Amino acid sequence: MTLLIDAKLGAVAAGIATLESEFLAHVVLPGNRTVLDALEPIIETAYRSGRYPAPGDSLLPLIPE
């Protein structure tokens, strides 16, 4: 775990990645869900259907109920 985080921070320090891009999946959204939790079903559906989700469709699961 230490090596992974060190590598991510090293990439940010070197300017080849941003902090946001390295840790985006772990950002916690309102409703205590991570970005990955919110987007994973959308990505899964896109692969199964072969269709890119429409912007309106992809935002609905991000709104906590």
Side-chain angles (χ1 to χ4, degrees), residues 26-59:
H26 306 291
V27 171
V28 179
L29 299 168
N32 207 32
R33 295 173 63 201
T34 65
V35 171
L36 179 63
D37 292 337
L39 293 179
E40 202 167 33
I42 296 166
I43 295 167
E44 211 171 285
T45 299
Y47 275 113
R48 272 198 312 262
S49 69
R51 289 184 50 240
Y52 189 85
D57 296 341
S58 66
L59 294 176

mmCIF file of all heavy atoms in Angstrom, residues 26-59:
data_model
loop_
_atom_site.group_PDB
_atom_site.id
_atom_site.type_symbol
_atom_site.label_atom_id
_atom_site.label_comp_id
_atom_site.label_asym_id
_atom_site.label_seq_id
_atom_site.Cartn_x
_atom_site.Cartn_y
_atom_site.Cartn_z
ATOM 1 N N HIS A 26 -11.677 7.215 -5.364
ATOM 2 C CA HIS A 26 -11.850 7.117 -3.911
ATOM 3 C C HIS A 26 -12.452 8.361 -3.280
ATOM 4 O O HIS A 26 -12.644 8.400 -2.064
ATOM 5 C CB HIS A 26 -10.497 6.798 -3.267
ATOM 6 C CG HIS A 26 -9.864 5.585 -3.862
ATOM 7 N ND1 HIS A 26 -10.355 4.314 -3.680
ATOM 8 C CD2 HIS A 26 -8.803 5.456 -4.694
ATOM 9 C CE1 HIS A 26 -9.609 3.447 -4.360
ATOM 10 N NE2 HIS A 26 -8.672 4.119 -4.986
ATOM 11 N N VAL A 27 -12.782 9.370 -4.101
ATOM 12 C CA VAL A 27 -13.430 10.573 -3.581
ATOM 13 C C VAL A 27 -14.821 10.184 -3.088
ATOM 14 O O VAL A 27 -15.563 9.479 -3.773
ATOM 15 C CB VAL A 27 -13.523 11.665 -4.673
ATOM 16 C CG1 VAL A 27 -14.382 12.833 -4.218
ATOM 17 C CG2 VAL A 27 -12.127 12.141 -5.049
ATOM 18 N N VAL A 28 -15.174 10.644 -1.898
ATOM 19 C CA VAL A 28 -16.474 10.317 -1.324
ATOM 20 C C VAL A 28 -17.477 11.403 -1.691
ATOM 21 O O VAL A 28 -17.244 12.585 -1.484
ATOM 22 C CB VAL A 28 -16.382 10.162 0.213
ATOM 23 C CG1 VAL A 28 -17.744 9.856 0.814
ATOM 24 C CG2 VAL A 28 -15.384 9.066 0.575
ATOM 25 N N LEU A 29 -18.591 10.956 -2.260
ATOM 26 C CA LEU A 29 -19.672 11.841 -2.689
ATOM 27 C C LEU A 29 -20.708 11.984 -1.578
ATOM 28 O O LEU A 29 -20.701 11.205 -0.617
ATOM 29 C CB LEU A 29 -20.351 11.251 -3.933
ATOM 30 C CG LEU A 29 -19.473 11.077 -5.169
ATOM 31 C CD1 LEU A 29 -20.184 10.218 -6.198
ATOM 32 C CD2 LEU A 29 -19.110 12.433 -5.734
ATOM 33 N N PRO A 30 -21.621 12.938 -1.724
ATOM 34 C CA PRO A 30 -22.733 13.001 -0.772
ATOM 35 C C PRO A 30 -23.460 11.649 -0.745
ATOM 36 O O PRO A 30 -23.590 10.993 -1.774
ATOM 37 C CB PRO A 30 -23.640 14.091 -1.354
ATOM 38 C CG PRO A 30 -22.718 14.951 -2.162
ATOM 39 C CD PRO A 30 -21.690 14.010 -2.726
ATOM 40 N N GLY A 31 -23.903 11.248 0.397
ATOM 41 C CA GLY A 31 -24.537 9.943 0.535
ATOM 42 C C GLY A 31 -23.525 8.871 0.901
ATOM 43 O O GLY A 31 -23.844 7.696 0.936
ATOM 44 N N ASN A 32 -22.269 9.279 1.146
ATOM 45 C CA ASN A 32 -21.203 8.378 1.599
ATOM 46 C C ASN A 32 -20.854 7.294 0.587
ATOM 47 O O ASN A 32 -20.498 6.180 0.952
ATOM 48 C CB ASN A 32 -21.556 7.766 2.959
ATOM 49 C CG ASN A 32 -20.318 7.398 3.741
ATOM 50 O OD1 ASN A 32 -19.287 8.048 3.621
ATOM 51 N ND2 ASN A 32 -20.414 6.357 4.548
ATOM 52 N N ARG A 33 -20.987 7.615 -0.709
ATOM 53 C CA ARG A 33 -20.576 6.692 -1.772
ATOM 54 C C ARG A 33 -19.346 7.263 -2.450
ATOM 55 O O ARG A 33 -19.197 8.467 -2.566
ATOM 56 C CB ARG A 33 -21.692 6.550 -2.812
ATOM 57 C CG ARG A 33 -22.940 5.897 -2.264
ATOM 58 C CD ARG A 33 -24.063 5.921 -3.271
ATOM 59 N NE ARG A 33 -23.711 5.142 -4.454
ATOM 60 C CZ ARG A 33 -24.294 5.298 -5.631
ATOM 61 N NH1 ARG A 33 -25.239 6.201 -5.804
ATOM 62 N NH2 ARG A 33 -23.930 4.568 -6.665
ATOM 63 N N THR A 34 -18.482 6.387 -2.926
ATOM 64 C CA THR A 34 -17.320 6.856 -3.673
ATOM 65 C C THR A 34 -17.695 7.064 -5.136
ATOM 66 O O THR A 34 -18.724 6.574 -5.605
ATOM 67 C CB THR A 34 -16.152 5.853 -3.605
ATOM 68 O OG1 THR A 34 -16.545 4.649 -4.268
ATOM 69 C CG2 THR A 34 -15.724 5.568 -2.175
ATOM 70 N N VAL A 35 -16.848 7.772 -5.850
ATOM 71 C CA VAL A 35 -17.057 7.970 -7.285
ATOM 72 C C VAL A 35 -17.109 6.606 -7.976
ATOM 73 O O VAL A 35 -17.951 6.368 -8.842
ATOM 74 C CB VAL A 35 -15.951 8.868 -7.882
ATOM 75 C CG1 VAL A 35 -16.018 8.897 -9.396
ATOM 76 C CG2 VAL A 35 -16.044 10.278 -7.310
ATOM 77 N N LEU A 36 -16.233 5.696 -7.579
ATOM 78 C CA LEU A 36 -16.242 4.354 -8.174
ATOM 79 C C LEU A 36 -17.571 3.657 -7.921
ATOM 80 O O LEU A 36 -18.145 3.049 -8.838
ATOM 81 C CB LEU A 36 -15.096 3.505 -7.625
ATOM 82 C CG LEU A 36 -15.036 2.077 -8.156
ATOM 83 C CD1 LEU A 36 -14.801 2.076 -9.664
ATOM 84 C CD2 LEU A 36 -13.957 1.285 -7.454
ATOM 85 N N ASP A 37 -18.104 3.739 -6.699
ATOM 86 C CA ASP A 37 -19.401 3.120 -6.395
ATOM 87 C C ASP A 37 -20.494 3.653 -7.314
ATOM 88 O O ASP A 37 -21.350 2.899 -7.776
ATOM 89 C CB ASP A 37 -19.820 3.397 -4.946
ATOM 90 C CG ASP A 37 -18.944 2.707 -3.922
ATOM 91 O OD1 ASP A 37 -18.302 1.694 -4.260
ATOM 92 O OD2 ASP A 37 -18.915 3.201 -2.775
ATOM 93 N N ALA A 38 -20.453 4.962 -7.570
ATOM 94 C CA ALA A 38 -21.492 5.592 -8.383
ATOM 95 C C ALA A 38 -21.340 5.263 -9.863
ATOM 96 O O ALA A 38 -22.330 5.085 -10.564
ATOM 97 C CB ALA A 38 -21.461 7.101 -8.171
ATOM 98 N N LEU A 39 -20.113 5.189 -10.350
ATOM 99 C CA LEU A 39 -19.892 5.007 -11.785
ATOM 100 C C LEU A 39 -19.788 3.556 -12.236
ATOM 101 O O LEU A 39 -20.023 3.252 -13.407
ATOM 102 C CB LEU A 39 -18.632 5.752 -12.214
ATOM 103 C CG LEU A 39 -18.698 7.265 -12.137
ATOM 104 C CD1 LEU A 39 -17.371 7.880 -12.561
ATOM 105 C CD2 LEU A 39 -19.821 7.795 -12.988
ATOM 106 N N GLU A 40 -19.452 2.666 -11.344
ATOM 107 C CA GLU A 40 -19.256 1.265 -11.730
ATOM 108 C C GLU A 40 -20.468 0.658 -12.439
ATOM 109 O O GLU A 40 -20.320 0.040 -13.494
ATOM 110 C CB GLU A 40 -18.861 0.436 -10.505
ATOM 111 C CG GLU A 40 -18.143 -0.824 -10.842
ATOM 112 C CD GLU A 40 -17.490 -1.447 -9.619
ATOM 113 O OE1 GLU A 40 -18.038 -1.329 -8.505
ATOM 114 O OE2 GLU A 40 -16.426 -2.050 -9.795
ATOM 115 N N PRO A 41 -21.704 0.843 -11.924
ATOM 116 C CA PRO A 41 -22.855 0.274 -12.632
ATOM 117 C C PRO A 41 -23.072 0.902 -14.011
ATOM 118 O O PRO A 41 -23.503 0.225 -14.946
ATOM 119 C CB PRO A 41 -24.048 0.561 -11.727
ATOM 120 C CG PRO A 41 -23.518 1.092 -10.465
ATOM 121 C CD PRO A 41 -22.088 1.449 -10.661
ATOM 122 N N ILE A 42 -22.761 2.182 -14.153
ATOM 123 C CA ILE A 42 -22.920 2.863 -15.442
ATOM 124 C C ILE A 42 -21.933 2.293 -16.455
ATOM 125 O O ILE A 42 -22.291 2.017 -17.603
ATOM 126 C CB ILE A 42 -22.717 4.382 -15.268
ATOM 127 C CG1 ILE A 42 -23.818 4.944 -14.369
ATOM 128 C CG2 ILE A 42 -22.696 5.085 -16.614
ATOM 129 C CD1 ILE A 42 -23.543 6.339 -13.869
ATOM 130 N N ILE A 43 -20.697 2.099 -16.024
ATOM 131 C CA ILE A 43 -19.667 1.544 -16.901
ATOM 132 C C ILE A 43 -20.025 0.111 -17.292
ATOM 133 O O ILE A 43 -19.919 -0.280 -18.456
ATOM 134 C CB ILE A 43 -18.280 1.615 -16.213
ATOM 135 C CG1 ILE A 43 -17.878 3.083 -16.025
ATOM 136 C CG2 ILE A 43 -17.236 0.838 -17.004
ATOM 137 C CD1 ILE A 43 -16.700 3.284 -15.094
ATOM 138 N N GLU A 44 -20.492 -0.653 -16.320
ATOM 139 C CA GLU A 44 -20.885 -2.040 -16.577
ATOM 140 C C GLU A 44 -22.006 -2.105 -17.618
ATOM 141 O O GLU A 44 -21.959 -2.911 -18.558
ATOM 142 C CB GLU A 44 -21.366 -2.664 -15.257
ATOM 143 C CG GLU A 44 -21.122 -4.127 -15.134
ATOM 144 C CD GLU A 44 -21.438 -4.575 -13.714
ATOM 145 O OE1 GLU A 44 -20.645 -4.295 -12.807
ATOM 146 O OE2 GLU A 44 -22.505 -5.200 -13.553
ATOM 147 N N THR A 45 -23.017 -1.255 -17.469
ATOM 148 C CA THR A 45 -24.131 -1.208 -18.414
ATOM 149 C C THR A 45 -23.655 -0.816 -19.801
ATOM 150 O O THR A 45 -24.107 -1.380 -20.806
ATOM 151 C CB THR A 45 -25.211 -0.227 -17.913
ATOM 152 O OG1 THR A 45 -25.685 -0.685 -16.655
ATOM 153 C CG2 THR A 45 -26.367 -0.130 -18.878
ATOM 154 N N ALA A 46 -22.748 0.141 -19.866
ATOM 155 C CA ALA A 46 -22.224 0.577 -21.164
ATOM 156 C C ALA A 46 -21.515 -0.566 -21.881
ATOM 157 O O ALA A 46 -21.702 -0.765 -23.085
ATOM 158 C CB ALA A 46 -21.279 1.764 -20.979
ATOM 159 N N TYR A 47 -20.715 -1.336 -21.159
ATOM 160 C CA TYR A 47 -20.032 -2.474 -21.788
ATOM 161 C C TYR A 47 -21.009 -3.549 -22.227
ATOM 162 O O TYR A 47 -20.871 -4.121 -23.300
ATOM 163 C CB TYR A 47 -18.985 -3.074 -20.836
ATOM 164 C CG TYR A 47 -17.670 -2.358 -20.897
ATOM 165 C CD1 TYR A 47 -17.207 -1.625 -19.815
ATOM 166 C CD2 TYR A 47 -16.866 -2.417 -22.036
ATOM 167 C CE1 TYR A 47 -15.995 -0.962 -19.869
ATOM 168 C CE2 TYR A 47 -15.653 -1.755 -22.096
ATOM 169 C CZ TYR A 47 -15.219 -1.039 -21.015
ATOM 170 O OH TYR A 47 -14.028 -0.381 -21.072
ATOM 171 N N ARG A 48 -22.024 -3.827 -21.390
ATOM 172 C CA ARG A 48 -23.008 -4.854 -21.752
ATOM 173 C C ARG A 48 -23.832 -4.449 -22.966
ATOM 174 O O ARG A 48 -24.095 -5.262 -23.843
ATOM 175 C CB ARG A 48 -23.935 -5.146 -20.571
ATOM 176 C CG ARG A 48 -23.424 -6.202 -19.635
ATOM 177 C CD ARG A 48 -24.547 -6.761 -18.763
ATOM 178 N NE ARG A 48 -25.350 -5.712 -18.158
ATOM 179 C CZ ARG A 48 -25.197 -5.251 -16.925
ATOM 180 N NH1 ARG A 48 -24.276 -5.758 -16.157
ATOM 181 N NH2 ARG A 48 -25.973 -4.292 -16.452
ATOM 182 N N SER A 49 -24.242 -3.175 -23.007
ATOM 183 C CA SER A 49 -25.118 -2.719 -24.089
ATOM 184 C C SER A 49 -24.350 -2.289 -25.328
ATOM 185 O O SER A 49 -24.914 -2.209 -26.411
ATOM 186 C CB SER A 49 -25.973 -1.546 -23.611
ATOM 187 O OG SER A 49 -25.169 -0.389 -23.411
ATOM 188 N N GLY A 50 -23.068 -1.966 -25.162
ATOM 189 C CA GLY A 50 -22.278 -1.472 -26.271
ATOM 190 C C GLY A 50 -22.575 -0.023 -26.603
ATOM 191 O O GLY A 50 -22.162 0.493 -27.621
ATOM 192 N N ARG A 51 -23.325 0.653 -25.726
ATOM 193 C CA ARG A 51 -23.695 2.057 -25.927
ATOM 194 C C ARG A 51 -23.030 2.937 -24.877
ATOM 195 O O ARG A 51 -22.984 2.583 -23.710
ATOM 196 C CB ARG A 51 -25.206 2.241 -25.790
ATOM 197 C CG ARG A 51 -25.997 1.666 -26.930
ATOM 198 C CD ARG A 51 -27.494 1.958 -26.799
ATOM 199 N NE ARG A 51 -27.766 3.366 -26.541
ATOM 200 C CZ ARG A 51 -28.402 3.819 -25.452
ATOM 201 N NH1 ARG A 51 -28.813 2.997 -24.520
ATOM 202 N NH2 ARG A 51 -28.630 5.101 -25.302
ATOM 203 N N TYR A 52 -22.589 4.103 -25.339
ATOM 204 C CA TYR A 52 -22.064 5.108 -24.429
ATOM 205 C C TYR A 52 -23.251 5.750 -23.734
ATOM 206 O O TYR A 52 -24.221 6.135 -24.396
ATOM 207 C CB TYR A 52 -21.268 6.143 -25.232
ATOM 208 C CG TYR A 52 -20.492 7.113 -24.375
ATOM 209 C CD1 TYR A 52 -19.236 6.782 -23.908
ATOM 210 C CD2 TYR A 52 -21.030 8.346 -24.054
ATOM 211 C CE1 TYR A 52 -18.514 7.670 -23.133
ATOM 212 C CE2 TYR A 52 -20.317 9.243 -23.272
ATOM 213 C CZ TYR A 52 -19.061 8.890 -22.815
ATOM 214 O OH TYR A 52 -18.355 9.766 -22.034
ATOM 215 N N PRO A 53 -23.241 5.890 -22.401
ATOM 216 C CA PRO A 53 -24.410 6.461 -21.725
ATOM 217 C C PRO A 53 -24.603 7.936 -22.071
ATOM 218 O O PRO A 53 -23.630 8.676 -22.205
ATOM 219 C CB PRO A 53 -24.096 6.292 -20.239
ATOM 220 C CG PRO A 53 -22.638 6.061 -20.168
ATOM 221 C CD PRO A 53 -22.195 5.502 -21.478
ATOM 222 N N ALA A 54 -25.858 8.343 -22.213
ATOM 223 C CA ALA A 54 -26.178 9.752 -22.455
ATOM 224 C C ALA A 54 -25.888 10.534 -21.180
ATOM 225 O O ALA A 54 -26.038 9.992 -20.077
ATOM 226 C CB ALA A 54 -27.637 9.883 -22.849
ATOM 227 N N PRO A 55 -25.470 11.796 -21.286
ATOM 228 C CA PRO A 55 -25.135 12.572 -20.083
ATOM 229 C C PRO A 55 -26.241 12.589 -19.035
ATOM 230 O O PRO A 55 -25.972 12.422 -17.863
ATOM 231 C CB PRO A 55 -24.871 13.978 -20.625
ATOM 232 C CG PRO A 55 -24.425 13.754 -22.025
ATOM 233 C CD PRO A 55 -25.201 12.555 -22.498
ATOM 234 N N GLY A 56 -27.483 12.750 -19.426
ATOM 235 C CA GLY A 56 -28.579 12.742 -18.460
ATOM 236 C C GLY A 56 -28.727 11.401 -17.766
ATOM 237 O O GLY A 56 -28.983 11.330 -16.573
ATOM 238 N N ASP A 57 -28.533 10.330 -18.507
ATOM 239 C CA ASP A 57 -28.650 8.984 -17.944
ATOM 240 C C ASP A 57 -27.551 8.718 -16.923
ATOM 241 O O ASP A 57 -27.784 8.120 -15.895
ATOM 242 C CB ASP A 57 -28.547 7.916 -19.032
ATOM 243 C CG ASP A 57 -29.682 7.975 -20.021
ATOM 244 O OD1 ASP A 57 -30.720 8.575 -19.713
ATOM 245 O OD2 ASP A 57 -29.521 7.433 -21.121
ATOM 246 N N SER A 58 -26.344 9.167 -17.217
ATOM 247 C CA SER A 58 -25.218 8.830 -16.359
ATOM 248 C C SER A 58 -25.223 9.629 -15.056
ATOM 249 O O SER A 58 -24.570 9.228 -14.103
ATOM 250 C CB SER A 58 -23.893 9.057 -17.097
ATOM 251 O OG SER A 58 -23.709 10.421 -17.360
ATOM 252 N N LEU A 59 -25.939 10.735 -14.986
ATOM 253 C CA LEU A 59 -25.930 11.545 -13.770
ATOM 254 C C LEU A 59 -26.959 11.082 -12.743
ATOM 255 O O LEU A 59 -26.783 11.310 -11.558
ATOM 256 C CB LEU A 59 -26.181 13.016 -14.108
ATOM 257 C CG LEU A 59 -25.079 13.682 -14.923
ATOM 258 C CD1 LEU A 59 -25.485 15.101 -15.275
ATOM 259 C CD2 LEU A 59 -23.762 13.683 -14.191
#
